[in-house]
Amino acid sequence: MRRLRPLHWGRRFFGSIRPGAPPEADVSWALGLLSPTEQPLFARMSNPDRRHAIRVARAADAGLAEGLDRRDEALVAALLHDVGKTVAGLGTYGRVIATLSGAVGGADLAELWQDTTGYTRKVGLYLRYPELGAELLAVAGSKPWVIAWSREHHNPEADWTLPPEIGRVLVAADES
Ligand SMILES: [Fe+2]
Ligand SMILES: [Fe+2]
């Protein structure tokens, strides 16, 4: 599992408390890549999550070779990799707590807590967001790489469905 690093948490956290929707031009670029059933999933994401998604997809767009086979599918994978975070409904502070809890308690804690109620249930769901995102995307009829990347983007390379050279560009974009 590729865990978020503390430095990364800090940067992400301070990015998250800045309000505001992404610029209109970026939103229409993103929507232009998404299918009619994926668009509402993107729209449900919070402003910081949509800004992150667009930054990752723009970095992937810059990093992936022109004319690459299934290039747009890889860009949609970049845009929607964190879509499962919408399911838990945790705000920024809750996410920091969830991420720290996950770093300490791991997957067992996520399993245990998703069956509880209230706040601990949200934390448990948040820790499972890659899987929940993959389920949402399967229902939306997303392409295979899009579904797989939600589920696998924190996994080691050996567990990727995407070709490693593409996955590496998406990981670098996620951490940029
Ligand atoms: Fe993620
Ligand atoms: Fe991400």
Side-chain angles (χ1 to χ4, degrees):
M1 179 107 169
R2 182 170 59 93
R3 298 210 182 275
L4 294 175
R5 296 158 303 172
L7 182 70
H8 194 60
W9 293 341
R11 214 146 30 98
R12 184 73 56 81
F13 179 75
F14 288 111
S16 299
I17 54 182
R18 244 185 328 121
E24 203 46 56
D26 282 340
V27 172
S28 36
W29 175 74
L31 292 177
L33 288 166
L34 300 174
S35 75
T37 44
E38 289 168 336
Q39 288 172 354
L41 293 181
F42 183 75
R44 276 186 56 201
M45 290 165 66
S46 70
N47 284 338
D49 282 356
R50 281 186 300 143
R51 290 201 309 266
H52 169 68
I54 288 168
R55 197 175 64 241
V56 173
R58 290 278 197 201
D61 191 30
L64 292 171
E66 291 295 333
L68 184 82
D69 194 31
R70 299 171 75 175
R71 195 176 192 279
D72 280 0
E73 191 174 345
L75 293 181
V76 175
L79 266 179
L80 296 177
H81 70 283
D82 281 334
V83 74
K85 292 183 177 180
T86 55
V87 175
L90 276 183
T92 300
Y93 294 92
R95 289 168 181 216
V96 171
I97 290 170
T99 305
L100 290 171
S101 305
V104 175
D108 293 347
L109 188 74
E111 285 295 320
L112 199 67
W113 281 9
Q114 68 175 321
D115 293 330
T116 57
T117 54
Y119 197 73
T120 48
R121 174 177 167 76
K122 286 185 180 177
V123 170
L125 285 175
Y126 184 78
L127 292 173
R128 286 191 62 233
Y129 81 80
E131 180 60 37
L132 296 169
E135 287 170 14
L136 281 178
L137 293 165
V139 171
S142 293
K143 293 190 171 153
W145 282 3
V146 179
I147 299 171
W149 193 243
S150 171
R151 183 177 285 123
E152 299 167 0
H153 72 275
H154 287 290
N155 291 356
E157 281 190 31
D159 295 342
W160 291 348
T161 300
L162 274 67
E165 62 276 12
I166 294 178
R168 281 183 216 125
V169 171
L170 298 190
V171 165
D174 198 7
E175 292 177 348
S176 64

